[in-house]
Amino acid sequence: MPVYLYAICRADRAECANGESLGERVRIVTSNDLAAFVSDCSGVPVASETSLWDHERIVEALMATRDLLPARFGSVLESDLAVDRVLADRRSELTDALRHVAGAVELGVRAAWTTAAGEHRPEDQPRGGLAYLRARAADQERGLQIAAELDRAVGAFVRDGRTRISAPVATLTATYLVVRSQIDRFCKRVELLRDQLPDVELTCSGPWPPYSFADPGAR
Amino acid sequence: MSQALRDKLLVGDGRFGLFGSELDRARAGLKNRINADQEELEKGLAQLVMTVIELLRQLMERQALRRMEGGTLTDEEIERLGKTFMALSERMDELKRTFGLSDEDLNLDLGPLGNLM
């Protein structure tokens, strides 16, 4: 029977703490010193806002009392045996990843700025090729500048980070692995940067399970 | 914005649907894996082909930008290249609209290597 994967943790941390309940559906599959939280399912679920939040709530509840590697929404494996195989085959990689995320959460930062190239619309006056390429170069440059500013602002408070600049729509998506005690400092830095960059829409969200720093999902 | 999302907002006001694309991404990612529906087949194929074209377009555009900044192109060459990329970009936007695809749909999740673009 297919099983839906929520998260992976160390086997000795999988047992429920006092008063903690996994709910009716979630159960534990153990393989050596690793364990996975799963539930029986009939296949890949339909992605909707409700189903995404359901997944999120279960993973967050599990994360409240232990370090874990969260699975992305929709991670389905063939059976308990397949889960066991993933845990066994990727044991060393998963153990390292668990060590990496210990005591930390993921914070997301998104930035959007006015794009020079994107301002052009087909219905506008035709524009020269040189102007277009210059605008694209300017967009790229601005994205790199914002990424550097962001890293400078929060770099001291993060354990790890991933940044992606999307030039055609002029947005930057960054995810950071932040120790819980540093969340407030991190946010203050983002707020400061927001004041310093009035032309950039900056948003910070979290705390999230460390999705970007551990992907044990079915592939 | 839902209350659950509001609770997750630490800085900023979450305007212009910055979070909306997460749902699109989840849907797109799942579609890639389970899409065996005949009606969706054409869209799936278009998505695959356009992903490859978009990758090539971006690679060539970056190369053109590098050459422009390096001063190895004449003004006429820059003008011609720029117009070509502009037309290609507009054509891609049209195709995306035709097939109901977003920028996020033209990305590939390469697992441990991250996203393609």
Side-chain angles (χ1 to χ4, degrees):
Chain A
M1 181 178 211
V3 289
Y4 186 94
L5 178 66
Y6 292 100
I8 289 168
C9 73
R10 272 172 39 188
D12 59 357
R13 303 302 312 276
E15 293 309 317
C16 292
N18 282 345
E20 183 189 9
S21 164
L22 292 181
E24 280 174 28
R25 290 181 297 164
V26 183
R27 55 189 179 80
I28 302 166
V29 175
T30 307
S31 170
N32 289 315
D33 50 358
L34 291 175
F37 294 99
V38 301
S39 68
D40 295 326
C41 68
S42 52
V44 179
V46 175
S48 69
E49 199 172 335
T50 309
S51 58
L52 279 172
W53 279 115
D54 283 348
H55 173 92
E56 179 64 23
R57 262 187 288 273
I58 290 172
V59 175
E60 283 191 17
L62 294 170
M63 201 176 84
T65 47
R66 59 180 68 75
D67 294 320
L68 53 75
L69 303 175
R72 295 265 183 200
F73 173 83
S75 300
V76 172
L77 289 99
E78 281 167 28
S79 60
D80 281 11
L81 197 65
V83 176
D84 180 78
R85 214 162 39 229
V86 168
L87 295 181
D89 290 352
R90 299 178 62 188
R91 184 177 167 205
S92 142
E93 184 189 334
L94 292 168
T95 306
D96 286 350
L98 272 167
R99 211 172 291 131
H100 188 51
V101 303
V105 295
E106 179 171 321
L107 298 182
V109 177
R110 292 197 174 210
W113 60 98
T114 308
T115 158
E119 279 169 357
H120 178 73
R121 293 282 175 272
E123 60 270 26
D124 295 345
Q125 287 297 307
R127 182 171 60 166
L130 177 65
Y132 174 80
L133 272 189
R134 281 204 175 128
R136 289 305 283 243
D139 281 344
Q140 205 174 41
E141 183 60 30
R142 185 76 181 120
L144 291 172
Q145 274 171 5
I146 293 168
E149 297 258 10
L150 186 58
D151 278 345
R152 242 195 317 274
V154 302
F157 307 112
V158 307
R159 187 183 289 167
D160 200 354
R162 312 242 187 285
T163 306
R164 186 158 68 94
I165 298 168
S166 188
V169 282
T171 53
L172 174 150
T173 311
T175 48
Y176 292 99
L177 191 62
V178 181
V179 175
R180 288 175 198 271
S181 60
Q182 301 281 22
I183 293 176
D184 285 347
R185 289 191 187 92
F186 180 100
C187 291
K188 286 206 175 78
R189 286 304 189 99
V190 176
E191 268 172 35
L192 270 176
L193 188 63
R194 194 167 177 254
D195 295 339
Q196 288 163 10
L197 302 172
D199 62 322
V200 180
E201 288 283 349
L202 260 184
T203 305
C204 175
S205 68
W208 304 99
Y211 291 107
S212 305
F213 303 92
D215 196 355
R219 290 195 180 280
Chain B
M1 194 176 11
S2 68
Q3 183 59 45
L5 198 50
R6 240 193 308 274
D7 292 344
K8 286 291 188 184
L9 201 56
L10 298 173
V11 179
D13 49 21
R15 266 187 296 168
F16 64 111
L18 272 184
F19 293 93
S21 64
E22 291 299 330
L23 188 57
D24 292 340
R25 193 171 68 176
R27 284 184 180 138
L30 292 176
K31 260 187 289 176
N32 288 342
R33 266 190 267 156
I34 58 164
N35 186 3
D37 186 337
Q38 192 68 34
E39 285 179 18
E40 289 285 316
L41 199 62
E42 188 185 344
K43 185 174 168 184
L45 270 176
Q47 182 178 352
L48 190 62
V49 173
M50 284 172 66
T51 301
V52 175
I53 295 173
E54 178 62 14
L55 170 68
L56 291 174
R57 189 187 72 79
Q58 290 201 17
L59 286 175
M60 288 190 301
E61 196 172 274
R62 278 176 210 177
Q63 178 69 9
L65 290 177
R66 263 196 295 273
R67 289 188 63 193
M68 184 175 83
E69 281 157 9
T72 60
L73 292 172
T74 64
D75 286 353
E76 292 81 48
E77 282 172 329
I78 294 172
E79 183 64 27
R80 211 169 46 239
L81 272 174
K83 281 208 161 122
T84 307
F85 285 120
M86 188 162 59
L88 195 51
S89 173
E90 285 167 8
R91 185 75 184 120
M92 286 297 281
D93 286 344
E94 280 171 30
L95 285 169
K96 273 184 265 179
R97 274 195 298 274
T98 304
F99 289 101
L101 297 167
S102 67
D103 288 322
E104 204 57 63
D105 290 326
L106 302 191
N107 210 342
L108 285 178
D109 186 349
L110 298 177
L113 298 176
N115 285 318
L116 182 66
M117 291 180 280

